PDB file of all heavy atoms in Angstrom:
ATOM      1  N   ALA A  19      54.034 143.292  42.418  1.00 93.00           N
ATOM      2  CA  ALA A  19      52.955 143.402  43.401  1.00 93.00           C
ATOM      3  C   ALA A  19      51.717 142.630  42.951  1.00 93.00           C
ATOM      4  O   ALA A  19      51.058 141.954  43.752  1.00 93.00           O
ATOM      5  CB  ALA A  19      52.611 144.878  43.623  1.00 93.00           C
ATOM      6  N   VAL A  20      51.412 142.707  41.660  1.00 91.00           N
ATOM      7  CA  VAL A  20      50.262 141.969  41.124  1.00 91.00           C
ATOM      8  C   VAL A  20      50.472 140.467  41.294  1.00 91.00           C
ATOM      9  O   VAL A  20      49.563 139.727  41.695  1.00 91.00           O
ATOM     10  CB  VAL A  20      50.040 142.322  39.635  1.00 91.00           C
ATOM     11  CG1 VAL A  20      49.032 141.372  38.998  1.00 91.00           C
ATOM     12  CG2 VAL A  20      49.581 143.760  39.493  1.00 91.00           C
ATOM     13  N   LEU A  21      51.687 139.986  40.993  1.00 92.00           N
ATOM     14  CA  LEU A  21      51.985 138.557  41.101  1.00 92.00           C
ATOM     15  C   LEU A  21      51.857 138.050  42.536  1.00 92.00           C
ATOM     16  O   LEU A  21      51.408 136.925  42.781  1.00 92.00           O
ATOM     17  CB  LEU A  21      53.396 138.273  40.578  1.00 92.00           C
ATOM     18  CG  LEU A  21      53.546 138.223  39.055  1.00 92.00           C
ATOM     19  CD1 LEU A  21      55.012 138.266  38.654  1.00 92.00           C
ATOM     20  CD2 LEU A  21      52.884 136.974  38.490  1.00 92.00           C
ATOM     21  N   VAL A  22      52.241 138.881  43.464  1.00 91.00           N
ATOM     22  CA  VAL A  22      52.231 138.456  44.871  1.00 91.00           C
ATOM     23  C   VAL A  22      50.830 138.529  45.470  1.00 91.00           C
ATOM     24  O   VAL A  22      50.423 137.649  46.233  1.00 91.00           O
ATOM     25  CB  VAL A  22      53.216 139.317  45.693  1.00 91.00           C
ATOM     26  CG1 VAL A  22      53.089 139.005  47.187  1.00 91.00           C
ATOM     27  CG2 VAL A  22      54.649 139.067  45.227  1.00 91.00           C
ATOM     28  N   PHE A  23      50.053 139.557  45.070  1.00 87.00           N
ATOM     29  CA  PHE A  23      48.798 139.811  45.784  1.00 87.00           C
ATOM     30  C   PHE A  23      47.513 139.595  44.956  1.00 87.00           C
ATOM     31  O   PHE A  23      46.450 139.391  45.536  1.00 87.00           O
ATOM     32  CB  PHE A  23      48.771 141.259  46.313  1.00 87.00           C
ATOM     33  CG  PHE A  23      49.908 141.547  47.256  1.00 87.00           C
ATOM     34  CD1 PHE A  23      50.934 142.398  46.875  1.00 87.00           C
ATOM     35  CD2 PHE A  23      49.956 140.966  48.509  1.00 87.00           C
ATOM     36  CE1 PHE A  23      51.989 142.684  47.742  1.00 87.00           C
ATOM     37  CE2 PHE A  23      51.004 141.247  49.389  1.00 87.00           C
ATOM     38  CZ  PHE A  23      52.023 142.099  49.003  1.00 87.00           C
ATOM     39  N   ILE A  24      47.567 139.662  43.615  1.00 84.00           N
ATOM     40  CA  ILE A  24      46.313 139.757  42.862  1.00 84.00           C
ATOM     41  C   ILE A  24      46.142 138.641  41.830  1.00 84.00           C
ATOM     42  O   ILE A  24      45.285 138.738  40.961  1.00 84.00           O
ATOM     43  CB  ILE A  24      46.215 141.139  42.168  1.00 84.00           C
ATOM     44  CG1 ILE A  24      46.645 142.256  43.104  1.00 84.00           C
ATOM     45  CG2 ILE A  24      44.803 141.426  41.680  1.00 84.00           C
ATOM     46  CD1 ILE A  24      46.596 143.637  42.476  1.00 84.00           C
ATOM     47  N   THR A  25      46.916 137.584  41.839  1.00 81.00           N
ATOM     48  CA  THR A  25      46.753 136.547  40.817  1.00 81.00           C
ATOM     49  C   THR A  25      45.520 135.674  41.040  1.00 81.00           C
ATOM     50  O   THR A  25      44.891 135.221  40.085  1.00 81.00           O
ATOM     51  CB  THR A  25      48.003 135.645  40.768  1.00 81.00           C
ATOM     52  OG1 THR A  25      48.315 135.211  42.097  1.00 81.00           O
ATOM     53  CG2 THR A  25      49.171 136.375  40.161  1.00 81.00           C
ATOM     54  N   LYS A  26      45.134 135.462  42.305  1.00 80.00           N
ATOM     55  CA  LYS A  26      44.000 134.584  42.581  1.00 80.00           C
ATOM     56  C   LYS A  26      42.693 135.109  41.981  1.00 80.00           C
ATOM     57  O   LYS A  26      41.934 134.336  41.357  1.00 80.00           O
ATOM     58  CB  LYS A  26      43.831 134.369  44.079  1.00 80.00           C
ATOM     59  CG  LYS A  26      42.789 133.306  44.418  1.00 80.00           C
ATOM     60  CD  LYS A  26      42.765 132.993  45.899  1.00 80.00           C
ATOM     61  CE  LYS A  26      41.732 131.901  46.188  1.00 80.00           C
ATOM     62  NZ  LYS A  26      41.691 131.537  47.621  1.00 80.00           N
ATOM     63  N   PRO A  27      42.382 136.406  42.103  1.00 85.00           N
ATOM     64  CA  PRO A  27      41.137 136.903  41.482  1.00 85.00           C
ATOM     65  C   PRO A  27      41.081 136.697  39.971  1.00 85.00           C
ATOM     66  O   PRO A  27      39.995 136.580  39.400  1.00 85.00           O
ATOM     67  CB  PRO A  27      41.140 138.397  41.832  1.00 85.00           C
ATOM     68  CG  PRO A  27      41.966 138.489  43.068  1.00 85.00           C
ATOM     69  CD  PRO A  27      43.029 137.448  42.911  1.00 85.00           C
ATOM     70  N   LEU A  28      42.268 136.639  39.303  1.00 80.00           N
ATOM     71  CA  LEU A  28      42.280 136.482  37.852  1.00 80.00           C
ATOM     72  C   LEU A  28      41.735 135.124  37.402  1.00 80.00           C
ATOM     73  O   LEU A  28      41.407 134.946  36.233  1.00 80.00           O
ATOM     74  CB  LEU A  28      43.714 136.664  37.319  1.00 80.00           C
ATOM     75  CG  LEU A  28      44.274 138.096  37.366  1.00 80.00           C
ATOM     76  CD1 LEU A  28      45.726 138.113  36.928  1.00 80.00           C
ATOM     77  CD2 LEU A  28      43.440 139.029  36.490  1.00 80.00           C
ATOM     78  N   SER A  29      41.611 134.178  38.335  1.00 84.00           N
ATOM     79  CA  SER A  29      41.047 132.873  37.975  1.00 84.00           C
ATOM     80  C   SER A  29      39.578 132.986  37.578  1.00 84.00           C
ATOM     81  O   SER A  29      39.032 132.096  36.926  1.00 84.00           O
ATOM     82  CB  SER A  29      41.194 131.889  39.142  1.00 84.00           C
ATOM     83  OG  SER A  29      40.473 132.339  40.279  1.00 84.00           O
ATOM     84  N   TYR A  30      38.919 134.106  37.961  1.00 87.00           N
ATOM     85  CA  TYR A  30      37.511 134.323  37.625  1.00 87.00           C
ATOM     86  C   TYR A  30      37.338 135.044  36.284  1.00 87.00           C
ATOM     87  O   TYR A  30      36.219 135.344  35.883  1.00 87.00           O
ATOM     88  CB  TYR A  30      36.825 135.144  38.731  1.00 87.00           C
ATOM     89  CG  TYR A  30      36.775 134.434  40.058  1.00 87.00           C
ATOM     90  CD1 TYR A  30      37.659 134.759  41.076  1.00 87.00           C
ATOM     91  CD2 TYR A  30      35.836 133.432  40.292  1.00 87.00           C
ATOM     92  CE1 TYR A  30      37.619 134.112  42.300  1.00 87.00           C
ATOM     93  CE2 TYR A  30      35.786 132.771  41.516  1.00 87.00           C
ATOM     94  CZ  TYR A  30      36.685 133.113  42.509  1.00 87.00           C
ATOM     95  OH  TYR A  30      36.640 132.464  43.715  1.00 87.00           O
ATOM     96  N   LEU A  31      38.428 135.310  35.597  1.00 87.00           N
ATOM     97  CA  LEU A  31      38.355 135.992  34.306  1.00 87.00           C
ATOM     98  C   LEU A  31      37.828 135.029  33.233  1.00 87.00           C
ATOM     99  O   LEU A  31      38.385 133.948  33.038  1.00 87.00           O
ATOM    100  CB  LEU A  31      39.735 136.516  33.897  1.00 87.00           C
ATOM    101  CG  LEU A  31      39.842 137.176  32.512  1.00 87.00           C
ATOM    102  CD1 LEU A  31      39.054 138.476  32.475  1.00 87.00           C
ATOM    103  CD2 LEU A  31      41.310 137.438  32.159  1.00 87.00           C
ATOM    104  N   PRO A  32      36.771 135.384  32.500  1.00 90.00           N
ATOM    105  CA  PRO A  32      36.269 134.529  31.425  1.00 90.00           C
ATOM    106  C   PRO A  32      37.298 134.374  30.302  1.00 90.00           C
ATOM    107  O   PRO A  32      37.960 135.342  29.913  1.00 90.00           O
ATOM    108  CB  PRO A  32      35.023 135.265  30.921  1.00 90.00           C
ATOM    109  CG  PRO A  32      34.592 136.107  32.082  1.00 90.00           C
ATOM    110  CD  PRO A  32      35.862 136.524  32.757  1.00 90.00           C
ATOM    111  N   GLN A  33      37.439 133.171  29.783  1.00 87.00           N
ATOM    112  CA  GLN A  33      38.377 132.919  28.693  1.00 87.00           C
ATOM    113  C   GLN A  33      38.050 133.762  27.462  1.00 87.00           C
ATOM    114  O   GLN A  33      38.954 134.225  26.756  1.00 87.00           O
ATOM    115  CB  GLN A  33      38.342 131.437  28.319  1.00 87.00           C
ATOM    116  CG  GLN A  33      38.868 130.495  29.384  1.00 87.00           C
ATOM    117  CD  GLN A  33      38.824 129.055  28.948  1.00 87.00           C
ATOM    118  OE1 GLN A  33      38.651 128.746  27.768  1.00 87.00           O
ATOM    119  NE2 GLN A  33      38.966 128.135  29.906  1.00 87.00           N
ATOM    120  N   ALA A  34      36.772 133.978  27.222  1.00 90.00           N
ATOM    121  CA  ALA A  34      36.355 134.746  26.050  1.00 90.00           C
ATOM    122  C   ALA A  34      36.832 136.191  26.118  1.00 90.00           C
ATOM    123  O   ALA A  34      37.084 136.814  25.076  1.00 90.00           O
ATOM    124  CB  ALA A  34      34.831 134.709  25.904  1.00 90.00           C
ATOM    125  N   VAL A  35      36.949 136.731  27.344  1.00 90.00           N
ATOM    126  CA  VAL A  35      37.424 138.112  27.500  1.00 90.00           C
ATOM    127  C   VAL A  35      38.887 138.205  27.087  1.00 90.00           C
ATOM    128  O   VAL A  35      39.294 139.118  26.349  1.00 90.00           O
ATOM    129  CB  VAL A  35      37.234 138.586  28.956  1.00 90.00           C
ATOM    130  CG1 VAL A  35      37.872 139.958  29.154  1.00 90.00           C
ATOM    131  CG2 VAL A  35      35.752 138.636  29.305  1.00 90.00           C
ATOM    132  N   LEU A  36      39.688 137.253  27.551  1.00 84.00           N
ATOM    133  CA  LEU A  36      41.104 137.236  27.174  1.00 84.00           C
ATOM    134  C   LEU A  36      41.248 137.028  25.667  1.00 84.00           C
ATOM    135  O   LEU A  36      42.086 137.671  25.020  1.00 84.00           O
ATOM    136  CB  LEU A  36      41.830 136.129  27.936  1.00 84.00           C
ATOM    137  CG  LEU A  36      43.358 136.169  27.914  1.00 84.00           C
ATOM    138  CD1 LEU A  36      43.872 137.503  28.423  1.00 84.00           C
ATOM    139  CD2 LEU A  36      43.929 135.021  28.728  1.00 84.00           C
ATOM    140  N   ALA A  37      40.425 136.157  25.114  1.00 85.00           N
ATOM    141  CA  ALA A  37      40.452 135.937  23.661  1.00 85.00           C
ATOM    142  C   ALA A  37      40.071 137.205  22.905  1.00 85.00           C
ATOM    143  O   ALA A  37      40.648 137.511  21.847  1.00 85.00           O
ATOM    144  CB  ALA A  37      39.498 134.798  23.297  1.00 85.00           C
ATOM    145  N   SER A  38      39.143 137.972  23.439  1.00 89.00           N
ATOM    146  CA  SER A  38      38.724 139.226  22.803  1.00 89.00           C
ATOM    147  C   SER A  38      39.839 140.258  22.829  1.00 89.00           C
ATOM    148  O   SER A  38      40.043 141.002  21.861  1.00 89.00           O
ATOM    149  CB  SER A  38      37.479 139.782  23.501  1.00 89.00           C
ATOM    150  OG  SER A  38      36.404 138.867  23.419  1.00 89.00           O
ATOM    151  N   VAL A  39      40.579 140.296  23.948  1.00 84.00           N
ATOM    152  CA  VAL A  39      41.737 141.201  24.053  1.00 84.00           C
ATOM    153  C   VAL A  39      42.766 140.840  22.993  1.00 84.00           C
ATOM    154  O   VAL A  39      43.302 141.704  22.285  1.00 84.00           O
ATOM    155  CB  VAL A  39      42.358 141.126  25.467  1.00 84.00           C
ATOM    156  CG1 VAL A  39      43.683 141.894  25.501  1.00 84.00           C
ATOM    157  CG2 VAL A  39      41.399 141.676  26.506  1.00 84.00           C
ATOM    158  N   VAL A  40      43.051 139.535  22.853  1.00 80.00           N
ATOM    159  CA  VAL A  40      44.011 139.072  21.850  1.00 80.00           C
ATOM    160  C   VAL A  40      43.499 139.351  20.438  1.00 80.00           C
ATOM    161  O   VAL A  40      44.271 139.733  19.545  1.00 80.00           O
ATOM    162  CB  VAL A  40      44.278 137.562  22.036  1.00 80.00           C
ATOM    163  CG1 VAL A  40      45.211 137.044  20.944  1.00 80.00           C
ATOM    164  CG2 VAL A  40      44.868 137.294  23.402  1.00 80.00           C
ATOM    165  N   PHE A  41      42.200 139.178  20.227  1.00 87.00           N
ATOM    166  CA  PHE A  41      41.594 139.442  18.922  1.00 87.00           C
ATOM    167  C   PHE A  41      41.840 140.885  18.489  1.00 87.00           C
ATOM    168  O   PHE A  41      42.213 141.155  17.342  1.00 87.00           O
ATOM    169  CB  PHE A  41      40.089 139.158  18.995  1.00 87.00           C
ATOM    170  CG  PHE A  41      39.350 139.432  17.716  1.00 87.00           C
ATOM    171  CD1 PHE A  41      39.382 138.518  16.671  1.00 87.00           C
ATOM    172  CD2 PHE A  41      38.616 140.595  17.553  1.00 87.00           C
ATOM    173  CE1 PHE A  41      38.692 138.766  15.485  1.00 87.00           C
ATOM    174  CE2 PHE A  41      37.932 140.859  16.381  1.00 87.00           C
ATOM    175  CZ  PHE A  41      37.967 139.939  15.342  1.00 87.00           C
ATOM    176  N   VAL A  42      41.664 141.827  19.420  1.00 87.00           N
ATOM    177  CA  VAL A  42      41.890 143.246  19.119  1.00 87.00           C
ATOM    178  C   VAL A  42      43.368 143.502  18.841  1.00 87.00           C
ATOM    179  O   VAL A  42      43.717 144.282  17.948  1.00 87.00           O
ATOM    180  CB  VAL A  42      41.387 144.128  20.281  1.00 87.00           C
ATOM    181  CG1 VAL A  42      41.753 145.591  20.029  1.00 87.00           C
ATOM    182  CG2 VAL A  42      39.878 143.992  20.438  1.00 87.00           C
ATOM    183  N   ILE A  43      44.254 142.832  19.598  1.00 79.00           N
ATOM    184  CA  ILE A  43      45.698 142.957  19.353  1.00 79.00           C
ATOM    185  C   ILE A  43      46.017 142.527  17.921  1.00 79.00           C
ATOM    186  O   ILE A  43      46.780 143.191  17.208  1.00 79.00           O
ATOM    187  CB  ILE A  43      46.497 142.097  20.353  1.00 79.00           C
ATOM    188  CG1 ILE A  43      46.398 142.686  21.768  1.00 79.00           C
ATOM    189  CG2 ILE A  43      47.965 142.002  19.936  1.00 79.00           C
ATOM    190  CD1 ILE A  43      46.977 141.787  22.850  1.00 79.00           C
ATOM    191  N   GLY A  44      45.420 141.411  17.502  1.00 81.00           N
ATOM    192  CA  GLY A  44      45.635 140.936  16.137  1.00 81.00           C
ATOM    193  C   GLY A  44      45.140 141.926  15.097  1.00 81.00           C
ATOM    194  O   GLY A  44      45.822 142.175  14.096  1.00 81.00           O
ATOM    195  N   LEU A  45      43.975 142.514  15.343  1.00 87.00           N
ATOM    196  CA  LEU A  45      43.430 143.497  14.396  1.00 87.00           C
ATOM    197  C   LEU A  45      44.357 144.697  14.240  1.00 87.00           C
ATOM    198  O   LEU A  45      44.515 145.234  13.136  1.00 87.00           O
ATOM    199  CB  LEU A  45      42.046 143.971  14.863  1.00 87.00           C
ATOM    200  CG  LEU A  45      40.894 142.957  14.803  1.00 87.00           C
ATOM    201  CD1 LEU A  45      39.604 143.628  15.268  1.00 87.00           C
ATOM    202  CD2 LEU A  45      40.721 142.400  13.393  1.00 87.00           C
ATOM    203  N   LYS A  46      44.973 145.115  15.340  1.00 83.00           N
ATOM    204  CA  LYS A  46      45.873 146.271  15.293  1.00 83.00           C
ATOM    205  C   LYS A  46      47.126 145.987  14.471  1.00 83.00           C
ATOM    206  O   LYS A  46      47.750 146.910  13.944  1.00 83.00           O
ATOM    207  CB  LYS A  46      46.267 146.687  16.714  1.00 83.00           C
ATOM    208  CG  LYS A  46      45.126 147.321  17.509  1.00 83.00           C
ATOM    209  CD  LYS A  46      45.579 147.703  18.911  1.00 83.00           C
ATOM    210  CE  LYS A  46      44.446 148.356  19.694  1.00 83.00           C
ATOM    211  NZ  LYS A  46      44.866 148.696  21.082  1.00 83.00           N
ATOM    212  N   LEU A  47      47.510 144.711  14.380  1.00 80.00           N
ATOM    213  CA  LEU A  47      48.693 144.351  13.600  1.00 80.00           C
ATOM    214  C   LEU A  47      48.415 144.358  12.101  1.00 80.00           C
ATOM    215  O   LEU A  47      49.341 144.438  11.298  1.00 80.00           O
ATOM    216  CB  LEU A  47      49.197 142.963  14.017  1.00 80.00           C
ATOM    217  CG  LEU A  47      49.920 142.856  15.354  1.00 80.00           C
ATOM    218  CD1 LEU A  47      50.219 141.397  15.669  1.00 80.00           C
ATOM    219  CD2 LEU A  47      51.207 143.663  15.346  1.00 80.00           C
TER     220      LEU A  47
END
């Protein structure tokens, strides 16, 4: 459902936010 209806809004996501999410994932490892 997300792929069909909600992918366009994700284009407004800042790259730094995604990098921060990944950064926390790395810390947990």
Side-chain angles (χ1 to χ4, degrees):
V20 169
L21 282 167
V22 173
F23 300 110
I24 316 179
T25 50
K26 188 173 181 179
L28 289 175
S29 62
Y30 296 102
L31 176 67
Q33 293 181 14
V35 174
L36 194 56
S38 300
V39 171
V40 177
F41 178 79
V42 174
I43 291 171
L45 291 182
K46 289 180 179 178
L47 286 174

